[in-house]
Amino acid sequence: MTPALLSLGTALPPHVLEQTDAQDLYQAQPGTDRLNARLLRTVFGASGVARRHTVLSELVDHDARDGSPYITGDGRFRAPLTGARNRTYMEEAPGLFAEAARDALARCPAVDPASITDVVTVSCTGFFAPGPDYHLVRDLGLNPATRRSHIGFMGCHGGLIGLRQAAAIAAADPDAVVLLVAVELCTLHLRPARDADAIRGAALFADGAAAALVGSRVPDGCVPLLQLDRFRTLVIPDGEQAMAWTIGDSGFEMILGAAVPQVLEDNIHAALEALLEGPDGAVDRGSITDWALHPGGRGILDKLEHTLGLPPEALRESRDVLATRGNMSSVTVLHVLRQVIDEAPPGEDRTVCALAFGPGLTVESALFTIPARPAAPAAHARPAAAVPTR
């Protein structure tokens, strides 16, 4: 019995940071010389991000900066220690975990919260115990015997890893109902940007959440969104230095090297081949109708679009999520997947290829099926426009 995605919910913090405002903020930092200012303009302008969300109101509201540990009243970045940043995570993350989970449950009323057997949480931007898995059981009133697991510090491919774990649980236990929730508060770790890696992170990273319900049995009244057909992992040789995520004294430090797009170009065909030619039978690449790629940045999407020979429309959902929500690390590919599902046309079954990239450098890949949906009733359809003649 193939596990199914029964529901997919999302949540975003209320504070919206426009990219132009973020660039101005960084360029106004003390010590920004002409070379640094030019690099900031180039990276921010080429990021593909127009706006993103943050839990830090002080990044967008000058009146909220009084007493902020992150930024002074006149817009200079402070350097809070990692412990202070993690305390903000402990304050802000549980609410987003619960909000995304409630959205997933609301989208599938046929699933009784009391029937949830497993909770899987994903995050790489903060730590505490008892952690978000515990808080979800308490905040949602789940059975105290609910099995819990947490996937921590895996980076941008963590959302697919969590979905893979949820599918494995559902495949092993047909009666399992798994709640997966991913939350990332990347903006807690923003800092003055002097080097290229820090500037790339400053231009891309954002906060957000997503949640999914996964099970092998589809309850009455629930229409599954996806069949979770297969997952694969590929560790790329010599990619360890291209992307990394470490804990520093003043926050978590992301290494997002300029070579990442090229490393992916050199290895993406091997990752796709491993996915399509798995031990459970080969899949024709031509059967893929939709692509849900983690938008690590516009350069990554551009490179993969060219390397995989995809038409521009194939990555529209990935580019849209990048533009309107930024790179939310592990959460991002789940937002892309939500948009792919929502915009899938009715008719025949559709095959989705999902790809996400994380430290290592590691490629997580998956194949999903969107079951055929009936066409919407045409009773109120507008008449087709006349075709002009010459």
Side-chain angles (χ1 to χ4, degrees):
M1 190 178 296
T2 303
L5 181 71
L6 307 177
S7 178
L8 183 55
T10 59
L12 293 167
H15 311 296
V16 179
L17 179 63
E18 298 292 338
Q19 188 74 329
T20 52
D21 293 337
Q23 180 181 322
D24 290 345
L25 180 63
Y26 272 91
Q27 288 198 253
Q29 295 304 304
T32 301
D33 57 23
R34 290 174 57 190
L35 180 61
N36 193 242
R38 186 169 65 223
L39 185 57
L40 282 164
R41 288 193 300 271
T42 300
V43 174
F44 272 73
S47 66
V49 178
R51 67 188 60 87
R52 42 201 160 133
H53 291 251
T54 175
V55 296
L56 298 178
S57 60
E58 52 264 57
L59 289 181
V60 300
D61 182 1
H62 288 250
D63 294 335
R65 292 177 180 175
D66 185 29
S68 166
Y70 293 92
I71 192 167
T72 65
D74 59 356
R76 289 177 290 112
F77 282 120
R78 299 186 190 273
L81 298 178
T82 301
R85 299 175 195 261
N86 198 60
R87 280 194 293 275
T88 306
Y89 179 90
M90 294 170 63
E91 295 166 358
E92 299 288 347
L96 270 178
F97 273 101
E99 184 181 349
R102 290 190 178 102
D103 187 45
L105 287 164
R107 291 172 183 265
C108 189
V111 173
D112 184 348
S115 69
I116 293 173
T117 60
D118 296 81
V119 167
V120 178
T121 52
V122 180
S123 191
C124 68
T125 47
F127 295 96
F128 63 99
D133 50 314
Y134 165 87
H135 281 267
L136 279 171
V137 171
R138 188 192 67 181
D139 295 346
L140 300 180
L142 305 184
N143 188 328
T146 300
R147 298 173 297 224
R148 314 191 319 264
S149 56
H150 180 69
I151 297 170
F153 220 65
M154 293 295 288
C156 293
H157 53 2
L160 276 188
I161 294 172
L163 203 54
R164 184 186 71 202
Q165 179 69 9
I169 293 171
D173 179 2
D175 294 321
V177 179
V178 187
L179 172 63
L180 163 70
V181 191
V183 169
E184 301 294 3
L185 305 185
C186 302
T187 64
L188 299 185
H189 303 289
L190 293 178
R191 62 190 192 277
R194 293 288 180 264
D195 60 86
D197 281 341
I199 292 173
R200 278 188 287 270
L204 289 171
F205 286 108
D207 303 345
L213 291 169
V214 175
S216 289
R217 299 192 195 280
V218 179
D220 292 339
C222 178
V223 178
L225 301 179
L226 294 174
Q227 294 174 4
L228 306 179
D229 299 316
R230 64 173 66 172
F231 296 84
R232 295 290 182 270
T233 300
L234 180 68
V235 176
I236 293 176
D238 303 321
E240 185 175 353
Q241 303 305 315
M243 187 187 299
W245 187 228
T246 61
I247 299 177
D249 293 335
S250 295
F252 297 177
E253 299 170 0
M254 179 60 156
I255 297 173
L256 189 61
V260 169
Q262 186 62 51
V263 173
L264 288 174
E265 179 186 34
D266 294 342
N267 293 275
I268 198 64
H269 284 293
L272 190 58
E273 182 179 332
L275 176 67
L276 296 177
E277 298 183 4
D280 41 350
V283 174
D284 181 7
R285 179 183 160 169
S287 67
I288 298 173
T289 56
D290 300 272
W291 297 80
L293 270 62
H294 167 68
R298 190 169 76 181
I300 289 175
L301 293 179
D302 289 348
K303 184 69 74 173
L304 292 179
E305 179 183 296
H306 173 75
T307 304
L308 294 173
L310 301 176
E313 180 66 14
L315 300 187
R316 180 175 53 81
E317 295 89 351
S318 292
R319 294 187 187 277
D320 184 64
V321 169
L322 179 65
T324 59
R325 280 157 273 183
N327 183 341
M328 301 169 284
S329 190
S330 69
V331 172
T332 322
V333 71
L334 299 177
H335 278 245
V336 174
L337 197 56
R338 172 78 260 177
Q339 196 156 322
V340 168
I341 294 168
D342 287 346
E343 298 179 8
E348 299 180 351
D349 290 357
R350 301 182 67 83
T351 300
V352 181
C353 177
L355 297 167
F357 326 105
L361 209 157
T362 305
V363 178
E364 291 288 337
S365 59
L367 281 179
F368 306 133
T369 300
I370 302 178
R373 296 182 295 184
H380 302 290
R382 296 171 61 185
V387 178
T389 57
R390 295 184 181 273

